[in-house]
Amino acid sequence: MAPKASSPGDLTTFNILHGLPEALVRGMRSSFLQDADYHHLTQCETLDDIRLNLSESDYADALADSATMTPASLQKAAIDKLVTEFKYLRTQTVEPLSTFMDFITYEYMIENVMLLLKGALSGRDINDLIEQCHPLGMFKESTMRSIPTFENSSKGYADLYQTVLVDTPVGPYFAVFLQETAQHRGSDARNVLEEVEIEIIKSSLIKYWLEDFTHFVEQLGGDTATIMGELLKVRADTNAINITLNSFGTPLNEPAMRAADRKRLYPAVGHLYPAGISMLVDVQDEEELGRVLELFPQYAAIWNMHAGGGGDKSIDDGFYERDVQMLELAFESQMHFAVFYAYVKLKEQEIRNLVWISECILQQQKDEINKFVPVFSHHCPWRGGKKH
């Protein structure tokens, strides 16, 4: 799990080791699309119009080599650009910032492994699967190609962990999952991966990652522990709410499964932990979930928006808006590491916005085109709706 972390420093010492990468990432803030850019994009009639508008933005070089513009090609070009920037920042870091940035990539590694395992179960082509993997979570190609090749059996999955996953940065999370599940089910670990749904495995691994990341930033102390710790707590709470919500209508919502399997998926960090989590264990429908979240004001408003129904926003939209607000605030203070995490997540939101706008134009759904969450917008509610 997480190594023992040294302090990132304070007002007097932070810049000695980390001043350059922090200055770089704060300079990169100027690359975000502005309100005027979004206004022009939403007025586009074709995808070529989008390309033309983006040619005057920070995405110009990334899109220069695209023969044709599609939402998928736009997304790939934007993600590749983000990965290039992230890797450049990573090369400028020293400990403990380098380990902090590695932690950011572990989430994508978990998602890639799960994508490959799920694809292997459905018999999909390995090349197509690797093409869909997130570049920030890539292992060396031989490792990526090895993951889906193991046979679909208990022994095959055991060999997969012992020969491939054990040597990856996320290997310890798999080890903990196999050990805990074997103890819980009273069986050999070899049978675990075969018996459990891929999404349940993914939720467990993300839980271990969140707990490990939280422990690491707490060791760092200072503003990094305060600001990044808050971001991770909210992320853990979001996972817990979504796990509960998505379990309705599935075997995980059966009484025995709620108290056993579903309970083990909840992160042991966050504002909901421990009191809220203990209440979520017994929740069996949306009405009961709403009553639990009413006790937590920071989530009650988002839930009420979802429960009201018929509105223009989903619960995911509510989470996205809240996340953008918190991530933007990470840029408002100095001498901490959370700004690097915030940059990656805000860029991901910007990419979602671009894909949404391009999809609406492609499908001629202009009435829906403004349903996105702009980043560093002067019109957002938490900035008082002020304009330029």
Side-chain angles (χ1 to χ4, degrees), residues 50 73 134 148 151 177 222 237 289 378:
I50 287 186
S73 67
H134 197 290
E151 62 183 46
F177 169 77
D237 291 343
L289 176 57
H378 288 257

Side-chain angles (χ1 to χ4, degrees), residues 5-222:
S6 58
S7 171
D10 55 19
L11 182 64
T12 59
T13 60
F14 182 91
N15 284 339
I16 297 174
L17 296 177
H18 313 300
L20 173 61
E22 189 194 27
L24 289 171
V25 75
R26 291 186 181 280
M28 289 177 177
R29 171 177 171 169
S30 63
S31 69
F32 284 98
L33 296 175
Q34 299 179 2
D35 290 330
D37 297 317
Y38 281 116
H39 174 72
H40 293 148
L41 289 172
T42 56
Q43 303 304 309
C44 292
E45 297 295 334
T46 67
L47 295 183
D48 285 335
D49 292 342
I50 287 186
R51 181 207 287 269
L52 184 61
N53 276 277
L54 290 177
S55 66
E56 299 179 4
S57 72
D58 203 53
Y59 289 98
D61 292 340
L63 297 174
D65 297 330
S66 299
T68 58
M69 171 70 81
T70 65
S73 67
L74 173 58
Q75 182 180 32
K76 183 179 186 306
I79 289 177
D80 287 345
K81 174 179 176 294
L82 169 60
V83 171
T84 300
E85 293 166 349
F86 181 88
K87 289 182 176 179
Y88 174 70
L89 286 171
R90 174 64 177 81
T91 61
Q92 307 300 315
T93 62
V94 295
E95 292 294 349
L97 178 54
S98 52
T99 297
F100 179 91
M101 295 192 71
D102 288 342
F103 263 106
I104 297 175
T105 67
Y106 294 167
E107 176 185 8
Y108 303 100
M109 292 181 186
I110 292 171
E111 291 178 350
N112 285 351
V113 172
M114 292 299 101
L115 173 64
L116 292 171
L117 288 177
K118 195 171 184 178
L121 289 176
S122 58
R124 295 177 58 190
D125 182 70
I126 175 62
N127 293 315
D128 293 339
L129 292 173
I130 292 179
E131 186 70 21
Q132 292 182 24
C133 286
H134 197 290
L136 270 184
M138 298 292 280
F139 308 114
K140 58 184 179 181
E141 186 172 354
S142 59
T143 300
M144 300 294 288
R145 291 187 175 277
S146 297
I147 292 173
T149 59
F150 289 84
E151 62 183 46
N152 182 20
S153 67
S154 57
K155 184 179 186 304
Y157 285 124
D159 292 342
L160 167 64
Y161 168 70
Q162 293 169 1
T163 60
V164 178
L165 299 182
V166 70
D167 292 325
T168 66
V170 295
Y173 304 141
F174 282 87
V176 173
F177 169 77
L178 291 170
Q179 181 181 6
E180 289 190 358
T181 306
Q183 292 173 349
H184 172 67
R185 293 173 177 253
S187 60
D188 188 85
R190 291 176 177 272
N191 298 318
V192 171
L193 284 174
E194 186 180 40
E195 296 171 354
V196 185
E197 291 288 341
I198 294 293
E199 288 303 315
I200 296 179
I201 302 175
K202 179 180 175 181
S203 295
S204 298
L205 298 176
I206 292 294
K207 165 196 169 179
Y208 301 138
W209 167 72
L210 281 170
E211 293 172 352
D212 201 22
F213 202 175
T214 300
H215 177 65
F216 178 75
V217 299
E218 286 176 348
Q219 283 187 314
L220 291 174

